[in-house]
Amino acid sequence: MKTDIEPSNFIEDFIVEDLEKGRYPYVYTRFPPEPNGYLHVGHSKSLCINFGIKEKFHGRCNLRFDDTNPTKEDVEYVDSIKEDIRWLGFEWDKELYASDYFDETYEFAVRLIKKGAAYVCDYSAEEIRLTRGTLNEPGKESPYRNRSVEENLRLFEEMRAGKYPDGSKVLRAKIDMASPNINMRDPVIYRILRAHHHRTGDTWCIYPMYDFAHPIGDALDGVTHSICTLEFEDHRPLYDWVTEQCGFEMPPRQIEFARLNIKNTIMSKRYLKKLVDSGFVSGWNDPRMPTLSGMRERGYPPAAIKEFCARVGVAKANSEVDPSLLEFCVREELNITADRAMVTESPLKVVIDNLPEDAAIEFSVVNNPNNENSGTHNVVLRKEIYIDSADFSLDPPPKYKRLIEGGTVRLKGAYILRHVSTEQDLDGSVKAVHCEYIEDSQSGGANAAMKVKGTVQWVSAADAVDVELYKYESLLVDPKDGVTDFNERLNPNSLTVVKGAKAEKFAVGKPGDTFQFMRMAYYKFAGYSDDGTPKFYRIVELKDSFNKR
Ligand code: ATP
Ligand code: MG
């Protein structure tokens, strides 16, 4: 069957080839998270690949929870995973659980025993490890390897019935202890484990291993392409062995791709959980976390994460991506979707001497110059305003393009101001600045063309709202002097809270709204702090360090 779909990476090359050779009549993928933590940005790559293939090949994609390890799994994680996938905008066809197939998986194990392809082994985990051999040496066959089918059937049934203590026996596939691939040296496929399972409760005291349950789950669901990360490449022969021994007519094809790694970014659920459990972060959705829920909390648009995955592409070799690429994608998206607002982080009072006390001059400003449909809102200029203290200098460095003594500057969206005098404290610090506004210097006015050093953001004292700014930095600092351990690389300054900033009212709308605070950064309105002060999370800075490189 000829397909006219253009493949755009090596995985899609395989799929097109399989369709054309008639190996599969359709395309069916799955996303198989283990519900032992929240999804992180690495998972979004796998999501984009699996759901991307579904969309491109008009196929299907299931969400299948790989919940075969009861000690680490939890419904909280199941719920969060579903929420995060929906947030990215993907829809799964079926929601499935490996644990739903515990009966079938057990039956397949019995079938293997009957064929003489599996046996019960009394070795401890340690003994199995010691007899497995090495890359250069074959393993040693277990003395239990040649038990009769009848004995194996009886023992396996008794394992299930709870007759033996945890760890005292396992079921092993009978393959080849001399195989150059260690995964093929009689791998364990079932173990005894008395643990409460989040779905099956205490029904089972034996659980299948991932390498056995996974191919069976794929095959039972009708999955055609089982896409996973590179570390499973060596498991592929076992994957194929299991589907063949179980007798599946249309065995799925496993294809491996390189994991997404981002510099200075923790991408392991186990370690992320440590950060949560130790209280270093406020939770899985802490805005500094590289989890999808953390990024949502931070204000990252889902479209930016998908664009990032598309730009990274699909490769067969592991590499490390710079986090600035993700930030670039976030900035690109927000540039179009986020309204502009004015905020002074460190407010400096400016008195406009030639305005009357009760002056209230309204200016209409465009919400987002990069989005025609964003509309406008009004800002009101009054006698007392605030600018940022960094925008005035008594002792300006060279090339300083803001307000200086005797100088001029434009107030964004309003008039040009000329400096008149400076009020200083005894210690020399600037208390307030006095200026005059220049008549008709607003945009379109007769004096609009007047040359000024720069344009600064401002807020009127009477209208401004006190806000808190949460500024985030990376959780990890660069590895230096051979220090590669995460614990030693944790950044003690990953959060700075700035109080006393002043924002125009426009920014305090509904929680979740995103803004470009002009000349500062992109921020998300994140609701109110305990004392009722509006708080904003810094999503990403304005500076585009990626393009410069
Ligand atoms: P972790 O090591 O963080 O626990 P995992 O691989 O064990 O990750 P799973 O829940 O098993 O997590 O992953 C679900 C799917 O997401 C798997 O198919 C896995 O290959 C994929 N995945 C996980 N991490 C990444 C990553 N960094 N890049 C690409 N795909 C990933
Ligand atoms: Mg895993």
Side-chain angles (χ1 to χ4, degrees):
M1 179 183 61
K2 193 89 189 112
T3 162
D4 47 16
I5 298 171
E6 267 302 307
S8 49
N9 56 52
F10 76 93
I11 297 179
E12 296 183 2
D13 288 342
F14 285 145
I15 294 178
V16 166
E17 179 193 297
D18 287 344
L19 288 173
E20 295 190 341
K21 290 200 171 144
R23 236 174 252 157
Y24 304 106
Y26 49 77
V27 179
Y28 208 153
T29 57
R30 85 285 172 271
F31 177 70
E34 184 180 354
N36 62 348
Y38 282 57
L39 297 183
H40 50 64
V41 59
H43 292 110
S44 64
K45 179 164 179 192
S46 173
L47 284 164
C48 287
I49 293 175
N50 282 296
F51 284 94
I53 287 171
K54 164 190 160 139
E55 287 161 17
K56 184 161 176 178
F57 290 87
H58 314 294
R60 280 176 286 177
C61 180
N62 291 339
L63 168 60
R64 190 179 70 234
F65 290 101
D66 252 312
D67 56 349
T68 50
N69 185 1
T71 51
K72 290 189 195 144
E73 296 159 2
D74 201 276
V75 254
E76 177 197 349
Y77 301 136
V78 168
D79 294 341
S80 75
I81 288 170
K82 293 201 279 184
E83 188 182 355
D84 291 346
I85 299 175
R86 288 204 187 96
W87 175 65
L88 276 186
F90 295 125
E91 246 177 79
W92 53 88
D93 287 273
K94 290 189 196 155
E95 177 184 331
L96 303 165
Y97 294 81
S99 58
D100 289 344
Y101 313 141
F102 280 169
D103 283 321
E104 279 111 320
T105 315
Y106 180 83
E107 289 308 324
F108 279 113
V110 168
R111 189 191 288 205
L112 259 54
I113 294 175
K114 286 184 179 161
K115 292 174 69 172
Y119 62 96
V120 174
C121 180
D122 296 5
Y123 266 173
S124 64
E126 179 67 0
E127 286 166 318
I128 291 178
R129 196 178 60 76
L130 290 172
T131 51
R132 199 168 40 197
T134 63
L135 285 175
N136 309 314
E137 268 176 77
K140 278 210 233 17
E141 292 192 354
S142 158
Y144 307 100
R145 198 171 199 261
N146 294 313
R147 276 176 162 155
S148 69
V149 169
E150 290 67 37
E151 189 183 6
N152 280 321
L153 284 174
R154 177 177 56 81
L155 291 172
F156 189 50
E157 209 176 294
E158 288 173 352
M159 279 167 65
R160 178 193 188 165
K163 191 162 172 194
Y164 304 108
D166 287 10
S168 62
K169 287 187 180 0
V170 291
L171 185 70
R172 298 175 73 174
K174 192 172 178 177
I175 311 180
D176 179 6
M177 287 307 288
S179 170
N181 183 332
I182 294 180
N183 293 303
M184 300 297 272
R185 295 183 187 168
D186 291 8
V188 173
I189 57 178
Y190 259 95
R191 62 195 162 141
I192 307 172
L193 182 68
R194 283 170 180 78
H196 187 81
H197 189 278
H198 74 112
R199 281 171 72 84
T200 57
D202 298 314
T203 310
W204 293 89
C205 65
I206 56 170
Y207 289 96
M209 303 302 286
Y210 176 89
D211 279 335
F212 188 58
H214 198 80
I216 290 176
D218 282 344
L220 287 173
D221 294 340
V223 163
T224 57
H225 296 88
S226 178
I227 298 162
C228 61
T229 42
L230 224 46
E231 66 272 22
F232 289 99
E233 195 169 23
D234 288 346
H235 296 236
R236 192 181 342 127
L238 179 53
Y239 184 100
D240 292 339
W241 184 89
V242 170
T243 55
E244 196 199 318
Q245 293 293 323
C246 292
F248 288 107
E249 277 173 15
M250 196 179 74
R253 175 177 191 172
Q254 175 178 305
I255 306 172
E256 310 85 19
F257 68 96
R259 296 175 81 83
L260 172 65
N261 296 308
I262 306 179
K263 196 172 152 239
N264 289 348
T265 306
I266 301 164
M267 220 104 77
S268 132
K269 280 181 280 187
R270 203 169 53 87
Y271 197 82
L272 292 171
K273 185 169 189 311
K274 274 194 200 162
L275 291 181
V276 175
D277 292 344
S278 70
F280 191 83
V281 295
S282 63
W284 285 95
N285 69 343
D286 186 292
R288 291 165 292 181
M289 289 282 270
T291 51
L292 294 182
S293 54
M295 293 182 168
R296 175 167 66 241
E297 185 66 12
R298 175 89 167 250
Y300 278 25
I305 297 173
K306 286 168 146 177
E307 174 63 20
F308 168 68
C309 290
R311 281 173 183 260
V312 169
V314 180
K316 187 86 199 179
N318 281 315
S319 63
E320 201 175 56
V321 179
D322 198 288
S324 59
L325 177 60
L326 176 56
E327 289 171 6
F328 169 81
C329 295
V330 170
R331 204 178 286 119
E332 288 279 293
E333 179 68 19
L334 290 174
N335 188 29
I336 297 163
T337 57
D339 285 343
R340 274 47 176 171
M342 294 201 282
V343 175
T344 55
E345 183 168 330
S346 160
L348 168 66
K349 194 197 276 184
V350 174
V351 182
I352 304 175
D353 290 338
N354 58 346
L355 273 184
E357 288 297 336
D358 58 353
I361 308 165
E362 295 203 7
F363 294 90
S364 169
V365 294
V366 175
N367 290 337
N368 183 344
N370 294 320
N371 178 351
E372 280 179 11
N373 303 318
S374 65
T376 61
H377 73 279
N378 284 354
V379 290
V380 184
L381 183 71
R382 299 180 192 274
K383 187 175 179 75
E384 275 193 10
I385 65 168
Y386 293 104
I387 62 170
D388 202 274
S389 54
D391 286 334
F392 173 71
S393 178
L394 285 171
D395 182 19
K399 295 195 187 151
Y400 187 76
K401 289 222 180 64
R402 312 169 202 181
L403 190 63
I404 58 171
E405 288 193 287
T408 55
V409 80
R410 174 177 288 286
L411 295 179
K412 177 76 192 166
Y415 293 127
I416 294 169
L417 294 188
R418 175 176 288 121
H419 174 270
V420 176
S421 64
T422 309
E423 278 181 50
Q424 280 172 276
D425 273 333
L426 289 176
D427 66 358
S429 61
V430 177
K431 241 170 80 178
V433 167
H434 287 257
C435 292
E436 282 176 354
Y437 83 95
I438 296 178
E439 262 180 65
D440 289 328
S441 61
Q442 77 282 10
S443 157
N447 295 322
M450 211 179 114
K451 267 219 169 322
V452 288
K453 283 268 183 167
T455 301
V456 301
Q457 77 272 26
W458 57 278
V459 292
S460 281
D463 305 315
V465 185
D466 280 330
V467 300
E468 289 173 4
L469 304 177
Y470 285 63
K471 298 167 120 181
Y472 301 107
E473 307 281 344
S474 172
L475 275 175
L476 289 189
V477 297
D478 281 329
K480 51 173 174 287
D481 307 329
V483 175
T484 50
D485 187 73
F486 281 165
N487 292 309
E488 295 170 51
R489 287 174 57 201
L490 284 175
N491 179 1
N493 303 315
S494 56
L495 169 62
T496 314
V497 182
V498 176
K499 298 198 183 211
K502 290 185 182 285
E504 62 171 307
K505 274 203 190 98
F506 175 66
V508 186
K510 91 179 174 305
D513 285 349
T514 52
F515 295 92
Q516 184 195 96
F517 288 169
M518 283 187 285
R519 302 176 66 235
M520 291 171 61
Y522 287 101
Y523 276 90
K524 170 188 132 167
F525 175 41
Y528 300 86
S529 67
D530 289 343
D531 65 2
T533 310
K535 53 179 184 177
F536 289 85
Y537 294 165
R538 185 168 75 187
I539 307 168
V540 66
E541 294 183 69
L542 296 181
K543 206 176 75 218
D544 187 351
S545 55
F546 184 72
N547 258 3
K548 265 194 246 144
R549 275 178 216 184

